[in-house]
Amino acid sequence: MTPRLGFLGAGWIGRHRMAALAATGLAEIVALAEPDDASAAEALTLAPGARRVAGLEALLACDIDAVVIATPSAAHAEQSIAALKAGKAVFCQKPLGRTGPEVAEVVAAAAQADCLLGVDLSYRHTAGMAAIRPLLDTESLGHVFGVDVTFHNAWGPDKPWFYDPRLSGGGCVVDLGVHLIDLALWSLGWPAVTGVESRLYAKGAPLADPARQVEDYATATLDLAGGTVVRLACSWGLQAGREAVIAAEFFGTEGGASLRNVNGSFYDLRAERHHHIRAEPLAEPPDDWGGRAAADWLTRLAGGARFDPDARHLVTVARVIDRIYGR
């Protein structure tokens, strides 16, 4: 089938995902809901056959098969559930919800409706991880006993709602850590998380009031079944000497592997296999990976896919985030 898509939110991320989905040729973009006139006009240049509607209710009244959601985080769960209950497949920006219970409610709605649910966890779809994941699956690195995952954004978000915990659900852990936790657990085949310890900071001091402020620096240690330890670090506005520090590093008894950004780039990623002090290249930039999670979801949708039980791992990640926050 050729899915008919509606877009809820057409800001920068929404337009980027719209362009990626349009480029597949697998779908028809028929409607969009975006309150900002300039953003809506720019989106309509990407999908000139689409029409602009007033909001989610109007979008769901259109003849569509799926909704792509790119709105502020506070609305993701409620909007996703509404779309799923209307029988529409959903692709949502991360985080799917602000808390574990919110995410669990969305996944339950997708299962009940038997609709395909996707979330923009895009680092899984980089060329680098496509090269590293088989090494882990085949145990080519031996027993992977350590994983370090890092995401420092030297700028931080520019929208005020990110800094309101009622709207965002948290700071850099919800925004960036969600990628790191997902990538680590997905790479290792979803081992159980047996322990979580964390430290959260705001403006250089321990986070004093999570109800009123969000963390801009966080570290966490995850103990996994089988003996692997994951060390996580993420931040906004860090004095890092470059725009971003992004890495996923795997340490095994028979070798190692790493995915690291190049020259502070948010987009250019290099993957290597490590043989003690020697590094073997696995993947190099350029790699246009930003829209691949959305394109993968659309490919499956066009092939007739319904609810995917792997969506329950979204709840796994959200519950780890809750444990990092101590909630």
Side-chain angles (χ1 to χ4, degrees):
M1 74 175 198
T2 302
R4 293 166 60 83
L5 305 182
F7 279 74
L8 184 62
W12 182 87
I13 291 178
R15 295 194 304 274
H16 187 277
R17 299 305 178 255
M18 182 181 289
L21 293 173
T24 68
L26 295 174
E28 181 183 356
I29 300 170
V30 301
L32 64 91
E34 167 54 55
D36 181 73
D37 290 340
S39 295
E42 193 167 345
L44 287 170
T45 66
L46 298 171
R51 65 187 180 99
R52 185 183 180 190
V53 298
L56 178 58
E57 186 175 348
L59 195 66
L60 295 177
C62 297
D63 181 18
I64 59 174
D65 303 297
V67 178
V68 179
I69 297 173
T71 57
S73 297
H76 286 178
E78 182 179 0
Q79 291 168 343
S80 295
I81 289 167
L84 291 161
K85 286 185 174 179
K88 315 302 182 186
V90 166
F91 184 82
C92 187
Q93 288 305 304
K94 56 79 191 170
L96 183 58
R98 292 166 292 184
T99 64
E102 275 196 351
V103 173
E105 192 174 355
V106 179
V107 173
Q112 178 67 30
D114 193 22
C115 288
L116 187 65
L117 172 64
V119 176
D120 200 6
L121 296 165
S122 47
Y123 288 88
R124 296 185 188 184
H125 298 272
T126 59
M129 286 313 303
I132 291 172
R133 178 66 190 266
L135 301 178
L136 302 170
D137 289 344
T138 59
E139 299 184 353
S140 296
L141 305 181
H143 169 56
V144 175
F145 54 86
V147 179
D148 287 358
V149 283
T150 308
F151 199 147
H152 298 305
N153 179 344
W155 297 111
D158 59 358
K159 302 289 194 303
W161 63 262
F162 275 95
Y163 302 92
D164 183 342
R166 295 169 300 171
L167 300 178
S168 61
C172 59
V173 173
V174 166
D175 182 40
L176 307 177
V178 63
H179 282 303
L180 303 179
I181 297 162
D182 177 78
L183 194 60
L185 298 181
W186 168 81
S187 298
L188 298 174
W190 298 104
V193 179
T194 59
V196 176
E197 294 184 3
S198 62
R199 300 288 186 274
L200 306 176
Y201 290 79
K203 306 300 182 186
L207 187 66
D209 188 354
R212 294 178 176 273
Q213 62 181 167
V214 298
E215 79 288 352
D216 56 21
Y217 179 80
T219 64
T221 301
L222 314 182
D223 294 314
L224 308 184
T228 302
V229 62
V230 176
R231 300 190 304 171
L232 175 151
C234 61
S235 67
W236 294 333
L238 194 72
Q239 309 288 341
R242 67 201 83 173
E243 288 195 299
V245 180
I246 304 169
E249 301 167 295
F250 302 88
F251 306 109
T253 53
E254 304 298 328
S258 65
L259 178 77
R260 300 183 181 120
N261 68 323
V262 179
N263 297 325
S265 172
F266 284 98
Y267 308 106
D268 292 337
L269 301 169
R270 172 182 295 130
E272 296 176 331
R273 180 172 180 172
H274 304 157
H275 306 269
H276 195 210
I277 62 171
R278 183 170 62 87
E280 171 192 345
L282 294 175
E284 294 282 344
D287 175 30
D288 187 15
W289 53 271
R292 283 193 194 136
D296 174 73
W297 167 83
L298 178 57
T299 300
R300 290 185 289 147
L301 183 65
R306 308 295 296 184
F307 177 71
D308 182 353
D310 279 349
R312 295 189 173 96
H313 292 309
L314 298 166
V315 183
T316 302
V317 173
R319 286 176 175 160
V320 171
I321 290 173
D322 281 352
R323 292 169 73 180
I324 289 174
Y325 285 121
R327 62 193 183 198

